[in-house]
Amino acid sequence: MAVSDAPPPRQNASHVVPLRLDIRKVIGLLALYASLVLYEFCHRFMLEHWLSDIYGYFQMYYDKGRPETYFWICILTPITILPAGTKLTNASQIIFSVFMAFVGLPTPLYFVHFVAPAAFPIAYFYFLVCFTLLAIATRIQLPPIPSPFGERGYKRLMWITVAIMIATFVYGMTQDFHLVSFAQLYETRYSEEVNGALVQRVATMYVFSFGSLFLALALMFRRFLYIAAIMVGYVLCYGMIYQKTALLAPLWLIYAYVCARFFVRDSTAKFYLALGAPFYLGVIWYLISPSTASAGANLIQYEYMGTVLFRLYAVTANASGLYYTFFQNHPHTFWSHITGVNFFLRYPYGDHTVAVEMQRAYELGNYNASFLATDAIEAYGYEALPIVALFVAATFIFLNTASRGFSTRALAVLMVMPAFAVVNIPFATTLLTEGIAFLGLYMAWMPRAWLARSHNM
């Protein structure tokens, strides 16, 4: 056998990896973007043609002199969502999607007429930065949070939690319990006989956090009798704290689970479609019969559009503009509305919340709102939006880390009620009073052996 004296072939000093473009991901992003742009234009259309006409007394207006502004809002705002991706894999992606569908996407449209044309681009820029920071945070996870419990210890923790809930409910029902109509809701809520702070705190945490946890566990272990008891728990909460959310929570939980299991799977675009479906139905109904969408015509159509398009999708989105107007002539809180901060800074509105002050100023009810209006505009102004977004983003990262290993179905059930808390309530309140921080810990501590069950819910 001859041995060659020729030198071995030269190797390339560096390995060049060809740049590959994932066409499916590009198409997925384009489809998501197109669906969000359509959603924005539908909001613009209803604001121009129905909401500003029927609900002008709520200061919902379409500024006919600034059509280009509305057009570019519809084109640019959806771009901020794209960093969150096209797949639902983290807890905060559920919350972020719900928040953007009900608040983030429509808010700049409703904000236009409140701000002078020269100042609006700056205000809108802060909104875009805020939404982009939140979208990026939905993709970030930290190393797993260690659990102080084994499986047996976690079971004990759950049974202790259930026992505390039951004991509080029994006590609360003996003190003040009434199943009243929505018309009597606020009168009963602010009566002298209403339950004390402890009952209200526990019931509120059940509605926005722990009820979802109990339901997810019941579905994971197929304990269907427990599911019935959990749903009854929401009715009991309604009779103790008189919040409409308590009575509506079972509907949202069922809707979230059914959509996640049979339609959404893990698609962000489909999730936005599911979230916007009631809104789209109202838009289509209006396009078919615009002349009957008033109180004196088709009462069923008018009630549906008023309940869904106005109350569900427009009121909270309009809040930032109303808060902005209110705080042009009233002192900002500089975050003194947050418990703990008020030990160092004087809260300027005494014993009343800003929501009550808004009622006095506009006579539109207690105007609770999301962190855009409260923790940002109420505290300092729209310039604080990126700062507040960083705190919300930190919570998103915590929830992503805590939810590692859960299926999309489980996340939809676990996060839909916390998401509505973020939509309607100041963010600092959601963490403790609504129990989102505690829910995150219970998720992080859940035995890893249980998580496989979440994929078979």
Side-chain angles (χ1 to χ4, degrees), residues 43-58:
H43 262 284
R44 171 189 169 171
F45 177 81
M46 295 311 298
L47 176 61
E48 178 181 3
H49 295 282
W50 188 72
L51 287 166
S52 61
D53 181 33
I54 302 295
Y55 294 103
Y57 70 93
F58 251 80

Side-chain angles (χ1 to χ4, degrees), residues 152-230:
R152 184 175 297 179
Y154 188 80
K155 286 182 180 179
R156 289 198 189 100
L157 174 66
M158 290 303 306
W159 282 116
I160 291 171
T161 305
V162 170
I164 292 173
M165 294 281 178
I166 292 175
T168 305
F169 285 9
V170 170
Y171 173 76
M173 292 175 66
T174 62
Q175 299 302 303
D176 182 63
F177 181 84
H178 300 287
L179 294 177
V180 299
S181 67
F182 284 177
Q184 300 172 297
L185 198 61
Y186 293 103
E187 179 182 349
T188 309
R189 184 187 300 175
Y190 296 109
S191 67
E192 294 181 358
E193 292 80 17
V194 70
N195 269 300
L198 175 62
V199 174
Q200 292 190 39
R201 288 289 179 90
V202 173
T204 300
M205 284 195 287
Y206 183 93
V207 170
F208 287 104
S209 296
F210 282 97
S212 302
L213 177 64
F214 297 154
L215 179 60
L217 287 170
L219 288 168
M220 288 163 61
F221 287 90
R222 301 185 181 277
R223 301 297 177 88
F224 298 111
L225 289 178
Y226 289 176
I227 294 175
I230 291 164

